[in-house]
Amino acid sequence: MTLSSLSGLFFVVAAVALAPMLTLLARQRVPSVIFEIMLGILIGPAVLALAHPSGFVANLGSMGLALLMFLAGLEVDLREMRGATLRRAASSWGLSLVLAGAVALVLVVLGHGKIALFVAIALSTTALGTLLPILRESGVFATGFGKHVMAVGTLGEFGPIVLIALLLGERNAWAVALFLVGFAALVVGGLWLARNRRLGWLRHTIYQGLHTTSQLPVRVTMLIIVFFVLVADDLGIDTLLGSFAAGLIVRAAIAADHAPDDIGIFQGKIEAVGFGVLVPVFFVVSGMQIDIRSMIANPSSFAVIPVMVVMMLLVRGIPTLMVYRHALPASQRRGLALFAATGLPLVVVVTQLGVQQGALAPAVAAAMVAGGLLSAGLYPTLGLRALRGDLPAGVDAARS
């Protein structure tokens, strides 16, 4: 590693450490992820040029994104995502997909066909990984309402990842679809092995390392993540799907025959690696990749930011309000709609692909990410305020 790479890494790590301090100074009204991206913009090539999103720093960012998707999968309890809960979430995302398709059609008619698909997929996303720390600290997951948030967030994260693999990859869509079926079979097999009673001795043996310096469960978890990411990549499927699937499988394994206290300890260790180090690096690197100079050189691109924020609410929020109108009280319905409209990590992924493939101008891509950034700062806060009376006693919704 060169001296310049080391100095760049220092500024990235400094931004990671500074972001939560700024959140505390802001009385926790602004999520740390917002400061992480803003600091990334500041230290990145577009402003101070103290660090560059390349080499080792870029690889750390990619690892952070994989950990973010893994942690999202780790939160999903497949036993609770059945029946009406799953049907409502699927209906909500299906309606969002229809609205996103309508937006894409309008763009085609207006002569912007190259960007239509990228915009449509970006609008159909929900930033479950970004919402996780905010909602957990706010006590949302301690309520019955939490399962609806998880279901809507999972479909809003998982569905677009599949669309990215099918529609934005370089391979033939039919071939990718066939590979997706094979990958799904592998995941189902992994879930079966994770829950197999005959392998209880293996799970117990691995878990014994939780309280030793070997930290064996953490090491095995990292192995599982890398394995599924590599398989997804070899099949031409988006690697995010691999890390998300790894989260589902590890969740099934730890829930099979372990005490809740041990599960909490394990999750705490994994989250220390993810949310403590690698995930914030991803957001800082994402900020470094936002081309502010292109936006300044093309002032009209700034108009994309409010349009993106409003369209995310219309495409993801309105269908959620409609589908849950008889299932949830008005306050919870409004909160769920606002959470569903929060999008950021996959917006970053989609826009990066658009720039790489020459479909999106850097200025437009930067403005779309800025819109996602604004949604991540605004909608969760408004959603928690809508839920203030429904949160567990002693939790102040406004602090997030």
Side-chain angles (χ1 to χ4, degrees):
M1 188 180 297
T2 64
L3 184 60
S4 60
S5 297
L6 282 173
S7 63
L9 178 61
F10 169 80
F11 287 110
V12 170
V13 175
V16 167
L18 182 59
M21 298 180 191
L22 294 174
T23 298
L24 291 174
L25 289 176
R27 298 182 180 181
Q28 296 186 329
R29 296 179 188 276
V30 180
S32 180
V33 60
I34 305 301
F35 288 119
E36 288 158 8
I37 293 179
M38 292 175 64
L39 288 170
I41 296 172
L42 181 64
I43 67 174
V47 183
L48 298 179
L50 298 173
H52 297 270
S54 59
F56 183 68
V57 168
N59 290 335
L60 275 182
S62 298
M63 290 175 63
L65 179 56
L67 260 293
L68 181 64
M69 293 299 108
F70 168 81
L71 290 167
L74 190 64
E75 287 288 342
V76 177
D77 189 343
L78 294 175
R79 294 170 297 182
E80 290 189 356
M81 284 190 55
R82 295 178 179 178
T85 302
L86 181 58
R87 286 197 300 272
R88 290 192 186 101
S91 298
S92 171
W93 188 69
L95 286 174
S96 294
L97 209 55
V98 171
L99 291 177
V103 172
L105 184 60
V106 170
L107 288 173
V108 171
V109 171
L110 293 176
H112 302 292
K114 288 178 65 177
I115 71 170
L117 193 55
F118 295 90
V119 172
I121 294 178
L123 292 176
S124 71
T125 66
T126 294
L128 178 60
T130 304
L131 288 168
L132 280 178
I134 300 171
L135 300 186
R136 181 181 294 168
E137 291 174 7
S138 305
V140 169
F141 291 136
T143 68
F145 171 69
K147 68 178 183 180
H148 297 293
V149 178
M150 284 304 305
V152 168
T154 299
L155 268 294
E157 192 101 73
F158 181 82
I161 290 174
V162 174
L163 290 181
I164 290 170
L166 283 173
L167 303 177
L168 301 185
E170 297 180 355
R171 295 191 180 184
N172 180 275
W174 288 105
V176 173
L178 183 61
F179 290 142
L180 277 171
V181 172
F183 185 77
L186 178 64
V187 173
V188 170
L191 289 169
W192 179 81
L193 285 174
R195 296 169 176 167
N196 194 309
R197 292 183 180 180
R198 295 178 181 178
L199 295 177
W201 65 270
L202 178 60
R203 291 191 295 269
H204 179 71
T205 300
I206 293 173
Y207 231 74
Q208 283 182 322
L210 183 65
H211 304 287
T212 68
T213 55
S214 72
Q215 295 297 313
L216 187 56
V218 177
R219 299 188 190 196
V220 171
T221 295
M222 297 304 294
L223 177 63
I224 292 171
I225 295 172
V226 173
F227 171 76
F228 277 94
V229 166
L230 285 174
V231 170
D233 185 60
D234 287 343
L235 293 176
I237 302 168
D238 197 286
T239 55
L240 301 183
L241 195 58
S243 52
F244 189 87
L248 297 177
I249 291 170
V250 171
R251 168 72 184 228
I254 63 175
D257 48 15
H258 296 294
D261 289 344
D262 279 345
I263 294 173
I265 293 171
F266 168 77
Q267 287 183 304
K269 291 177 183 292
I270 291 295
E271 288 172 2
V273 177
F275 291 129
V277 183
L278 294 175
V279 172
V281 168
F282 161 70
F283 285 116
V284 172
V285 171
S286 297
M288 293 164 62
Q289 293 172 330
I290 297 177
D291 196 345
I292 297 295
R293 291 179 180 175
S294 294
M295 292 180 64
I296 294 174
N298 298 274
S300 60
S301 65
F302 283 94
V304 174
I305 299 175
V307 172
M308 186 76 180
V309 174
V310 172
M311 291 307 299
M312 291 171 80
L313 184 60
L314 292 177
V315 171
R316 286 297 286 135
I318 297 302
T320 303
L321 282 174
M322 292 173 57
V323 170
Y324 287 85
R325 64 186 182 278
H326 299 307
L328 295 174
S331 61
Q332 293 185 8
R333 200 164 64 247
R334 289 194 296 270
L336 186 60
L338 288 162
F339 296 148
T342 303
L344 185 56
L346 291 183
V347 175
V348 173
V349 173
V350 169
T351 53
Q352 287 177 351
L353 286 172
V355 172
Q356 290 170 7
Q357 297 179 20
L360 281 174
V364 174
M368 288 176 64
V369 173
L373 174 63
L374 189 56
S375 78
L378 181 63
Y379 292 152
T381 301
L382 294 177
L384 288 172
R385 287 181 180 176
L387 289 171
R388 186 171 297 175
D390 299 306
L391 294 174
V395 177
D396 180 9
R399 70 188 181 92
S400 292

